[in-house]
Amino acid sequence: MQRPNLIFILADDIGYADLGCTGARDADNRPADPSPQLDLLAAAGLRFTRGYSNSAVCSPTRFALITGRWQYRLRGAAEEPLASAHGDKILGLPPEHPTLPSLLRDAGYATALVGKWHLGYPPHFGPRKSGYGEFYGFHAGGADYFAHCDPRGRPDFWENETAIEQDGYLTDLLSRRAAGFVERQSAEQPFLLSLHYSAPHWPWLTRDDREESGRIGGFGKHTDGGSLATYQRMIHHMDEGIGWVLDALEKKGLADNTLVVFTSDNGGERFSNNWPFVGQKMDLLEGGIRVPLLARWPARIAAGGVSDTPNLSMDWTATFLDAAGVPPHPDYPLDGRSLLPLFSQPGWKPERDLCWRMKHRAQRALVRGDWKYLQVEGVEYLFNVTQDPRERANLREREPERLAELRAAWDAWDATLPAIPQDSKVSLVFTTKDLPQATF
């Protein structure tokens, strides 16, 4: 069989229930449909109810996704998230480290990143130093949708290594470039397209909000703007653009043998809907790490499937390499696990532990099947997240042996990795001085 094309679509800070197919609701709690294209993709493929991000904040997940390994192995991923580090020689993805795009490139794939990089700044780091043949997007953790600048107001829009100026709404520009990349591909050479949107990350701007972009001047985290309607409209703009990419696949006759995956880098933020979970971005509660996850590959995945097999972002690195028949680098064994068996057996559920740790609030978590061990600021919790997805019934006193078993498993996993560096930083978008927050 011909090697498949691979498209990985990563939304930024989208919540578990922000898609129509995962339960989106409007401000009056009525069913909403901000994502008709993604809903169709889910119906034509496999929807995952227990897709987890490798971290509750963006850049650590991106380190795990591009390497297929625990992000904690790399110093840059200890930042929560990677803040402005222009010129820094340490805080980024080392160009010599094998990556999903570099391994596929070396196996004959065309590779492109359209959108957000957030894995270190030039001249020491960059997408084309780590395996992407083409780059069109931005380096920082966020971007203004009209000014195309980073959160500090500095221009940040690039084509390969060249700074560019291009008028337009950023989500649309990324979507059009991604669709154009597909249109330029030959049926003789497979490709990897990483389409990493900024949407629906702040600032809260739709296509109609150019004036609001001017008001905030490209600066800040937009704690004085936005609404649920604006947020859902931003998702709809992204969804429409994904439709353009999928249409390009159809027109090229490539849809049948292209694996398309959609997910988020972490749980949702201010305006997102993480129902039925509690917590949000920066929390190891389910709301911070349980993300929407969809996969379509008509040649291999039956339509209309649903899987409750727990999995992590970095599993998709292993899955893409497996699908392409490309082995990992022998000196950098993967920590992720290929999910190809799920495509023919949605009930496939290997025994494994999914683990997390964060400097923020000294958080620890481990998921094993239905059970979850959680520690926040030294306080331990034990939840059955299948029976109690809202993590409201702490079972540590009722199940002391299970608590001890999962704690020991987390300790054993943690001992295999470098310690969290003392000088790593936590950068919060807002605190209670800016906006009220629900208690834990």
Side-chain angles (χ1 to χ4, degrees):
M1 182 177 178
Q2 186 177 5
R3 292 184 294 174
N5 304 304
L6 305 164
I7 298 180
F8 196 90
I9 305 173
L10 192 64
D12 201 341
D13 293 359
I14 202 168
Y16 180 83
D18 277 334
L19 307 181
C21 61
T22 59
R25 316 288 289 188
D26 67 14
D28 296 314
N29 203 32
R30 298 172 301 196
D33 190 17
S35 57
Q37 296 297 326
L38 287 168
D39 297 346
L40 289 172
L41 187 144
L46 186 58
R47 180 171 64 85
F48 296 80
T49 61
R50 295 192 69 188
Y52 287 97
S53 56
N54 261 76
S55 176
V57 65
C58 45
S59 55
T61 291
R62 293 165 196 272
F63 276 97
L65 177 62
I66 199 168
T67 64
R69 290 159 56 87
W70 293 114
Q71 64 268 27
Y72 315 104
R73 299 188 185 280
L74 291 169
R75 173 60 186 85
E79 302 297 297
E80 298 175 359
L82 194 66
S84 177
H86 290 267
D88 195 294
K89 297 180 181 181
I90 302 299
L91 299 182
L93 175 62
E96 66 274 13
H97 195 297
T99 65
L100 173 65
S102 73
L103 291 166
L104 289 172
R105 175 202 61 196
D106 294 348
Y109 271 68
T111 60
L113 170 62
V114 175
K116 178 174 173 175
W117 169 242
H118 204 191
L119 292 174
Y121 288 91
H124 305 292
F125 311 104
R128 300 215 314 151
K129 292 180 181 293
S130 290
Y132 287 111
E134 299 181 23
F135 171 54
Y136 177 85
F138 58 99
H139 294 118
D144 185 281
Y145 291 85
F146 292 96
H148 307 157
C149 59
D150 71 15
R152 296 189 180 186
R154 295 171 294 200
D156 188 19
F157 201 19
W158 303 81
E159 185 164 13
N160 296 330
E161 290 75 49
T162 302
I164 59 174
E165 294 183 12
Q166 192 168 357
D167 186 60
Y169 183 66
L170 182 59
T171 301
D172 291 343
L173 294 175
L174 299 180
S175 297
R176 291 193 184 102
R177 175 56 67 102
F181 174 81
V182 172
E183 291 165 358
R184 287 188 280 113
Q185 299 314 298
S186 162
E188 282 69 50
Q189 182 184 23
F191 66 83
L192 164 71
L193 170 61
S194 298
L195 175 52
H196 294 184
Y197 284 102
S198 55
H201 191 286
W202 47 264
W204 315 112
L205 303 171
T206 72
R207 290 175 186 146
D208 302 321
D209 291 325
R210 187 185 290 265
E211 184 176 329
E212 176 70 354
S213 170
R215 180 188 74 81
I216 62 178
F219 288 86
K221 297 155 185 179
H222 214 185
T223 54
D224 65 348
S227 68
L228 182 56
T230 293
Y231 176 77
Q232 291 190 331
R233 190 67 183 160
M234 292 170 71
I235 293 173
H236 191 273
H237 295 335
M238 176 184 66
D239 181 80
E240 185 176 14
I242 291 169
W244 302 342
V245 176
L246 299 179
D247 285 347
L249 278 176
E250 291 288 349
K251 290 174 183 175
K252 293 285 291 187
L254 300 175
D256 189 61
N257 196 33
T258 298
L259 171 55
V260 181
V261 175
F262 172 87
T263 190
S264 179
D265 57 351
N266 45 251
E269 210 220 38
R270 268 164 275 179
F271 293 105
S272 63
N273 182 358
N274 295 324
W275 182 265
F277 314 118
V278 295
Q280 61 176 0
K281 178 180 180 178
M282 298 299 293
D283 297 324
L284 292 185
L285 289 153
E286 295 289 282
I289 51 176
R290 189 93 72 101
V291 289
L293 176 58
L294 316 171
R296 189 193 77 175
W297 186 6
R300 294 283 298 274
I301 299 176
V306 177
S307 172
D308 64 353
T309 298
N311 62 87
L312 281 166
S313 310
M314 65 182 179
D315 292 339
W316 289 102
T317 314
T319 304
F320 275 22
L321 291 173
D322 194 8
V326 176
H329 192 288
D331 296 336
Y332 297 83
L334 301 179
D335 295 311
R337 178 174 295 191
S338 173
L339 302 175
L340 281 191
L342 273 174
F343 297 171
S344 56
Q345 311 167 56
W348 177 73
K349 228 180 244 191
E351 291 186 6
R352 64 186 296 207
D353 293 340
L354 311 184
C355 302
W356 297 262
R357 70 184 192 193
M358 291 186 71
K359 186 169 187 174
H360 177 55
R361 301 187 70 191
Q363 295 180 87
R364 305 174 176 186
L366 179 145
V367 166
R368 177 182 291 177
D370 296 341
W371 291 91
K372 180 176 178 181
Y373 167 73
L374 178 67
Q375 185 179 136
V376 182
E377 297 174 338
V379 179
E380 292 185 314
Y381 307 88
L382 179 67
F383 301 112
N384 184 313
V385 291
T386 299
Q387 297 177 0
D388 175 31
R390 288 183 65 75
E391 296 168 284
R392 301 291 80 180
N394 185 5
L395 303 177
R396 69 184 182 197
E397 305 297 337
R398 294 178 62 177
E399 299 264 3
E401 292 182 0
R402 191 184 303 273
L403 177 74
E405 179 184 351
L406 297 187
R407 181 200 300 122
W410 187 93
D411 287 338
W413 165 80
D414 182 60
T416 67
L417 299 166
I420 297 175
Q422 289 294 321
D423 62 348
S424 62
K425 295 180 176 62
V426 175
S427 302
L428 297 176
V429 174
F430 59 89
T431 69
T432 51
K433 293 180 180 179
D434 307 297
L435 295 170
Q437 293 175 277
T439 56
F440 171 68

